[in-house]
Amino acid sequence: MRFRQIHAAWKRESIPLTWTIETRIAIDGPVGAGKTTVGRQLADRLDYRFLDTGLMYRALTRAALDDGIDLDDEPAMAVLAGAGRIEYRFSPDGGLSVDIDGEDATILLRTADVDRGVSITAALPAVRAILVARQREIAGEASIVMVGRDIGTVVLPDAELKIYLTASAEERARRRHEESMKLGIDGTYDEILSATLRRDRIDSDRAASPLMQAEDSVLLDSDNKSVRQVVDEIVELAESRR
Ligand code: DC
């Protein structure tokens, strides 16, 4: 039905078909590469929605920890993921808020217990299947910049543009360390570097949808580049593909 309407409009107005269909930009990459900062600014520039899929794994982890569910208990975690207790709300500025049981839990998704537990949640295939289906539904609603680890490879393999954003582990740790110092959070550069390397290993070695670069993605290395430069490059790529 939707295709017929679009096609009729296209014939009537002679507008390029691609202008009327939602555009999906996938950004994947390792922890700390700047995906969220870049993705949010890119979405602002293009007036697209922005979805940080890591928040969905984090919300599920938060709800499980609060309910005392063992994060390793795959059947129980899958029931929780499918129970409809977690809702995602897109605010007018394009950002995402997460409600758990009707309460705004957005600021509770980056606490240390969630940080520690979320890689266990994200390794469960039954959970991933449910969250990936929801991510695809959301991507069908409006043009979107979606960031994560498996967006270009699994969630949206036919996305119009796929970016694999990376930076050296040292640079990623340096940025995290700078952020932590600004926020008054303890942690030396060496500790942050070893945590970064550990999370890289967990994300890349897990059996279910490990982090890897999609073959048809564009590799962008953000070492020695400002956020603005990276966003400009992606906007140019998006425009050149229209
Ligand atoms: O990007 P982040 O740190 O908020 O991600 C939290 C966890 O979720 C991390 O362990 C990687 C995982 N994740 C994933 O497996 N797939 C995604 N699409 C997004 C995040």
Side-chain angles (χ1 to χ4, degrees), residues 13-14 22 46 98-99 106 125 127 143 153 161 168-170 175 184 189 198 201 212 239 242:
E13 317 262 348
S14 307
E22 287 82 25
L46 299 173
V98 180
D99 289 348
T106 317
V127 161
S143 289
T153 50
L161 177 60
S168 65
E170 290 72 18
R175 291 178 194 162
Y189 167 81
R198 191 180 68 88
R201 252 193 327 273
M212 57 182 166
E239 278 169 359
R242 281 232 168 110

Side-chain angles (χ1 to χ4, degrees), residues 30-63:
V31 62
K35 302 184 296 293
T36 305
T37 314
V38 164
R40 187 179 285 281
Q41 291 196 18
L42 177 67
D44 272 356
R45 284 265 291 272
L46 299 173
D47 203 19
Y48 288 4
R49 272 185 178 179
F50 173 65
L51 177 63
D52 174 0
T53 56
L55 286 186
M56 298 172 77
Y57 293 92
R58 286 174 178 275
L60 189 60
T61 307
R62 174 80 276 149

